[in-house]
Amino acid sequence: MSKPDSRPASIALPATEPVAGRRFAGFAPAHVLVAFLLLVSLAPVVLPEFYVTLLNYIGLYALVALGLVLLTGVGGLTSFGQAAFVGLGAYTTGVLTASPDLPGWLAWAGGSPWLALVIGLLLTALVALLVGSLTLRLSGHFLPLGTIAWGISLYFLFGTMETLGGHTGLTGIPSISIFGWELDEGREIFYLIWVFLLAAVLTTRNLLDSREGRAIRALKGGMVMAEAMGVNTSRSRMVIFVIAALHAAASGWLYAHMQRFVNPTPFGLHIGIEYLFMAVVGGAGQVWGAIVGAGIITVMKQWLQDWLPKLFGASGNFEVIVFGLMMVVILHRARDGVWPLLAKLVPVRGQHIEVDATAAALPRREMPARGERILEARKVTRKFGGLVANNDMNLHVEAGEILALIGPNGAGKSTMFNQLSGVDTPTSGEVLFRGKSIAGHASREIAGLGMSRTFQHVKLLPKMSVLENVAIGAHLRGSGSVVPAAWRLERGEEARLIAEAAHQIKRVGLEEYMHEEAGSLALGQQRILEIARALASDPCLLLLDEPAAGLRFKEKEALGELLSKLRSEGMAILLVEHDMDFVMGLVDRVVVMEFGQKIAEGLPEEIQKNPAVLEAYLGGVE
Amino acid sequence: MDLQIAILLGQDGITTGAIYALLALALVLVFAVTRVIFIPQGEFVAFGALTLASLQGGNTPATLWLLLGCGVAVAAVDGLAAVRRGDARRLVSILGWNLAYPLALAALFYASQPGAMPMLLQILVALAIVVPLGPMIYRLAFQPIAEAPVLILLIVSVALHVTLVGLGLLFFGAEGTRTPAFSDAQFELGSIMISGQQLWVVGTSALLIAVLYLFFGRTIYGKALRATAINRNGARLMGFSPVFAGKLTFLLAAFIGALSGVLIAPVTTIYYDTGFLIGLKGFVAAIIGGLASYPLAAAGALTVGLLESFSSFWASAYKEVIVFTLIIPVLLWQSLTSHHIDEEE
C-alpha cells in the first residue's frame, strides 16, 4: 500500500486510502472467500431440507442474475428477456432427455443430460447471436422494450408448440449423474448448482479484470472514447449478451433436472422481471450482488407468502402488492443495491492491480521517418445545412513536428478536429493519414492505423483506476479474448499491457495517482491522463484537443517538455489550443482559422505579426 | 376468408389500433419528459374500464379507496414539508387536492346512486377517480428519485406495475367485465356495417390526438413540456419546474390511459391484468413509429391493431408471437439505416 505521507506537499489532492498497517484494514479477500466456501459446502449437511431447497433456488436465480449484472449493471444493457433463455436451456434438455421418440436426425443426442447441456448452450448462443444482432443496435432505453418483445414471443412459443407439451409441459426428465452418482436429491444437486454458480462468479470477475473486461466496462458511458481507442463496442455488447444468455441457459438446464419436469410458467416475462429485480437490488455492478439479490428476493417472497395470509386473512395475493411496494422503497433508500451496504459490514482489504515491472515491453510500431507527411487535409469542407463550418481547409502535419491549430471561438477548430479524427465525415475533400484516405472510416479503424487522440471534454471512466483507464489505450496492442480472460490464461499478455500503461503514466508524471479512481483527479490531471492513454496505443500521430486547459503553470511546463520529447522521438502532434503562451513557445508551425477558413499559416513569430491574425483576435485597428 | 370477414377484421383492427395509438402517445410523452418507461400505463386502462364497470354495477369502486390512500400519503409527505416551511397557502392547496377532493368524491357516493346516473356522468366520475392517481403516483414513486439513472426509474416503474396489478386483482377480482356500448346505432355503408361504438372509439381517439397536437403546439404548458423533453435543465432555468412537468405528464398519461379503458371496455372484455399486454402493444407501436415521431407512432399503432386482428383469425394461438415479433424486422431496418454510437449515462 502506498504511504500518503510521503507525497510532495505541492499536490493538493487529499489522500483517499486508509493508512495501512496501523489500523485494522480489513480481512484478506482470500480468507473471506474461503470462509464463504466453507459455509456454502456445509449448508446441506446442517440445514433442514426446506432451507436446502431454498438455497438451490437462490443458486439457480443467482446464476441468471449474474448474467444480468454483467449485461445490465456493468454493460448498461437492460434485458427483461432472460427468463426466455432459461427456458431455452430447460426445454432443450427436456426434449432431448425425456422425449420417448426423438426424430431420427436427433436420435444421437437423446438420453444424456450432459450432451443436452452442450447442445442447449450451443443453441442458446445461436439464438442469442440472432436476437442480439437484431435488438442490440436499438438505441438506448428502448432496448429493454425490445427484450420484452422477444421475451414474450419465446414464452408464447414454449406454450403453443405441440412438441414442447403445450401449457402442461414435459415430464419424466431424468436426474443428472456424475460418474455414476445420481443427483436425485436436493442435497446432492445443491453442490452441482453452487459449483456452477461459483465458477460463473469467478470467471465473470476474472473477465472484468482483463483487456476485454475493460472494453466491457467502457460500454456504460464511454463508448465514443472506447471506439477511439480501437474497441469494437458492438462486439463487446454482443459478448456480454451471449454470456448472460449462456448463464441463463445453464440455470435452466439445472432447473429442469432438479424439478424433473418443465412447463412454460417459470420462463414468462414476470419471472424475467424478477431476475432484473434481483440484479438491481443486489447491486447491479457487483458480481457478488447477484447472490445477495437472488437471496433477498427469494427469501422475501417466501416470507411474504408465509406471513401475509396469516396477517390479512385467507385471501392471498397481498404478497405481490407488498413485494412491489418493498421494491420501490428499497430502490428509494439504496439506489446502488444492497451489496455495497453489506460489503461495509465485512471490510475486505482493498486490492489494487499489481504492476509487474519485469514484464517484457510490448512490440512497438515502426515510427515513420522524420519529415514524412503523416496527416494531410485536402480541401476539406463541412456543411451543416446552410452553415459552412469548414471551408476548403488544407493543412498537413509531418513526423517530428508539432502543429498548432488556433483561432477565435467559433472558428471551426473542433469541427476540423472531428474531420481529422474520423468522428465526422467531410461534406467534400479528403483526409489522408500516411497516404491512406480515412474520411468516412470508423474511428476504431483509424486508431488501428496509429492515430490517437484526447478529448476537449475529458472522457474517462471515473470509477476505474488511472492505471486501468490508461490500459484501455493499449487495447489494440493485445489480443487476449473472452475465454482465456475468464480462465486467466492471458496473464502474460495482461501483465505486459498493464506494465505499458504504468510506463506511460510514469512518463506523464501521474505515477502517484496510479491506483486512484480517475474521477478523483483534478481536471488538469485528467487531461494529462488522457495523453497517457493516447500514448499507450503507441501512435505515430497525436491529436490533442486543448491539452493545456485547466493546467497550472508548472504542469503546463511539464506538458511542454513531454511534447517536445515526443517530437524529438519522431512523433507528429497536432494541437488545438487557446493558450497562446503555451503554443508560441512550443510548436513548429501554426495554422490560424477564422469563420471556417484558414487565414494564415507559418512559423509562430510570423503568425504573431500577421495583420489578418491580429485583426481576427483583437478586432480591426481603425 | 371472404371480403365480408376481411372488412370485419379490418374494422376491429382499426378500433384497437386507435387505442394503441393513444397509449403509444402517452408512453412517448412520459419517457421524453421524465425518462420513465411507464410500464404501468396499461394499468390505467384496466382501472378506468373496471372502475366504470363497477359504477354501472351500482357499487362503490375500490379505486376510490386507492385514491384516498394515495391522497393521504401525498398529503402527509408534502403537507409536513409545507408545515415545516410555514407555507400556509401551499398547505391549503395540498390538503385540498389530496384530501378534500377524494373525500368529496367519497361523499358523492354516500349521497347518490352512481348506478342510476346517466352513462356520461358515470364516465366522468370514473375518470375523476382514476386520473388523479397519475400525479399522486408520480409524487410518491418517481419524484424522490427523479434524477436517478433510467435503469432505476425503469425498475421502480416495473415494481409499480406489479403492485398495481396485485391491487387490481384485489379490487376487481379475477373475472373479466364488459360494459354496455355508448350507443347501439348501426350504420350501413354499402354492404359494410359499422357499429356506433367503433365510431366512438376512433372518433374520440382522433379528437384527443388533435387536441393534444394543439396543446403541444399552441399552449404555453404544452410548449414547456416539449422544452423539458428536449432539455430539462434549460427548462428549469426558464422557470418551468421539473416536478410540475412530471406531475402534468403523469396526469395526461393517466387521463389517456383511463379514457382508453373506458372507450374499449364495451368492445373487449377487460380483466384486472389486461392492461399490461395492451400497454405493451402501445410500446410496440411506439417503437415501430421510430420512438419519437407522433404521427408515425399512430401509423404503427394501426399496423399493430390490424396485424393483431388478422392474425387472431388465421393463427389465433400465435397471435401474441406474431405481434411481438413484428418488432424485429422494424428494428432490423432501423439498425441498418442508423450508424451513430450513442452515449448512455
Side-chain angles (χ1 to χ4, degrees), chain A residues 134 141 223-224 273 317 324 332, chain B residues 37 141 158 162-163 166 328 338 343:
Chain A
L134 292 176
H141 316 308
M223 295 227 278
V224 172
I273 288 171
N317 196 48
H332 278 197
Chain B
I37 297 177
V158 172
V162 170
T163 306
I328 304 260
S338 82
E343 204 75 81

Side-chain angles (χ1 to χ4, degrees), chain A residues 72 76 78 80 133-135 137-142 144-146 148-150 152-153 156-157 160-161 220-225 227 233 237 269-270 273 276-277 280 284 316-318 320-321 323-325 327-328 331-332 335 459, chain B residues 31 37 39 140-142 144-145 147-152 154-156 158-163 165-167 169-170 276-277 280 283-284 287 291 317-318 320-321 324-325 327-328 331-332 334-335 338-345:
Chain A
T72 307
T78 307
F80 285 103
S133 61
L134 292 176
T135 49
R137 292 289 294 271
L138 193 54
S139 73
H141 316 308
F142 287 91
L145 304 179
I148 288 184
W150 56 254
I152 288 191
S153 299
F156 278 113
L157 273 183
T160 42
M161 274 170 70
K220 204 167 161 184
M223 295 227 278
V224 172
M225 177 275 288
E227 284 277 335
T233 51
R237 284 156 77 98
L269 187 59
H270 281 98
I273 288 171
L276 200 58
F277 278 156
V280 171
N317 196 48
F318 289 102
V320 201
I321 303 167
F323 177 77
L325 288 178
M327 279 295 110
V328 175
L331 290 172
H332 278 197
R335 214 182 274 181
K459 290 188 192 288
Chain B
F31 180 71
I37 297 177
I39 309 278
L140 294 173
F142 293 107
I145 50 165
E147 301 302 321
V150 174
L151 174 64
I152 300 293
L154 173 64
I155 301 293
V156 168
V158 172
L160 218 55
H161 153 74
V162 170
T163 306
V165 171
L167 286 173
L169 179 58
L170 188 69
F276 183 54
L277 274 186
L280 275 187
F283 272 127
V284 174
I287 290 178
L291 315 173
Y318 290 91
E320 313 292 359
V321 181
F324 285 106
T325 356
I327 225 177
I328 304 260
L331 296 182
L332 182 64
Q334 279 177 350
S335 73
S338 82
H339 287 287
H340 69 288
I341 296 168
D342 49 19
E343 204 75 81
E344 302 184 16
E345 68 216 275

Side-chain angles (χ1 to χ4, degrees), chain B residues 8-343:
Chain B
L8 212 67
L9 291 174
Q11 283 180 354
D12 226 34
I14 290 172
T15 317
T16 41
I19 296 296
Y20 296 153
L22 281 179
L23 295 178
L25 206 91
L27 290 165
V28 172
L29 174 70
V30 169
F31 180 71
V33 176
T34 63
R35 301 178 305 133
V36 174
I37 297 177
F38 195 44
I39 309 278
Q41 179 70 54
E43 270 64 72
F44 282 95
V45 178
F47 279 15
L50 294 171
T51 302
L52 179 64
S54 145
L55 277 174
Q56 288 172 342
N59 304 316
T60 306
T63 30
L64 183 63
W65 310 129
L66 180 63
L67 182 71
L68 269 169
C70 285
V72 168
V74 175
V77 178
D78 277 349
L80 267 179
V83 167
R84 241 178 250 146
R85 263 183 296 149
D87 192 339
R89 273 185 57 192
R90 220 183 121 58
L91 186 65
V92 170
S93 124
I94 289 166
L95 294 181
W97 282 112
N98 297 297
L99 283 184
Y101 172 74
L103 285 174
L105 271 178
L108 177 79
F109 279 96
Y110 189 71
S112 68
Q113 279 293 323
M117 290 178 192
M119 189 189 278
L120 184 65
L121 207 58
Q122 287 174 334
I123 291 173
L124 287 180
V125 171
L127 291 179
I129 294 175
V130 177
V131 174
L133 285 173
M136 286 177 181
I137 285 176
Y138 177 79
R139 171 64 194 91
L140 294 173
F142 293 107
Q143 194 182 316
I145 50 165
E147 301 302 321
V150 174
L151 174 64
I152 300 293
L153 294 175
L154 173 64
I155 301 293
V156 168
S157 163
V158 172
L160 218 55
H161 153 74
V162 170
T163 306
L164 288 177
V165 171
L167 286 173
L169 179 58
L170 188 69
F171 291 165
F172 304 110
E175 294 100 72
T177 326
R178 207 182 258 246
T179 55
F182 296 177
S183 82
D184 303 324
Q186 294 278 342
F187 302 93
E188 229 168 298
L189 215 77
S191 63
I192 311 170
M193 288 290 286
I194 302 173
S195 76
Q197 185 63 32
Q198 282 173 337
L199 284 182
W200 266 106
V201 173
V202 176
T204 315
S205 302
L207 183 73
L208 193 57
I209 289 174
V211 168
L212 285 171
Y213 180 77
L214 289 177
F215 172 73
F216 285 115
R218 298 288 164 84
T219 67
I220 188 78
Y221 283 117
K223 286 178 186 172
L225 278 188
R226 274 165 59 209
T228 313
I230 295 165
N231 189 332
R232 294 156 59 76
N233 279 332
R236 185 187 316 201
L237 288 174
M238 292 299 112
F240 189 62
S241 141
V243 170
F244 181 72
K247 285 186 183 165
L248 182 56
T249 311
F250 272 66
L251 184 81
L252 282 173
F255 173 67
I256 293 174
L259 185 68
S260 307
V262 166
L263 284 173
I264 206 166
V267 183
T268 161
T269 310
I270 302 280
Y271 300 86
Y272 72 99
D273 61 350
T274 310
F276 183 54
L277 274 186
I278 297 183
L280 275 187
K281 285 170 193 160
F283 272 127
V284 174
I287 290 178
I288 291 174
L291 315 173
S293 146
Y294 295 116
L296 271 180
L302 283 184
T303 318
V304 173
L306 287 170
L307 193 76
E308 188 184 7
S309 95
F310 278 91
S311 55
S312 65
F313 179 78
W314 275 314
S316 69
Y318 290 91
K319 185 177 87 173
E320 313 292 359
V321 181
I322 292 174
V323 170
F324 285 106
T325 356
L326 170 71
I327 225 177
I328 304 260
V330 176
L331 296 182
L332 182 64
W333 181 75
Q334 279 177 350
S335 73
L336 289 178
T337 49
S338 82
H339 287 287
H340 69 288
I341 296 168
D342 49 19
E343 204 75 81

Side-chain angles (χ1 to χ4, degrees), chain A residues 312-365:
Chain A
F312 288 100
S315 73
N317 196 48
F318 289 102
E319 69 263 14
V320 201
I321 303 167
V322 178
F323 177 77
L325 288 178
M326 284 176 86
M327 279 295 110
V328 175
V329 172
I330 289 179
L331 290 172
H332 278 197
R333 303 279 158 198
R335 214 182 274 181
D336 296 326
V338 177
W339 172 254
L341 304 179
L342 277 185
K344 266 189 214 152
L345 296 180
V346 185
V348 173
R349 215 174 292 153
Q351 268 188 318
H352 56 65
I353 296 171
E354 293 295 325
V355 179
D356 178 5
T358 62
L362 291 168
R364 296 199 55 185
R365 161 193 330 273

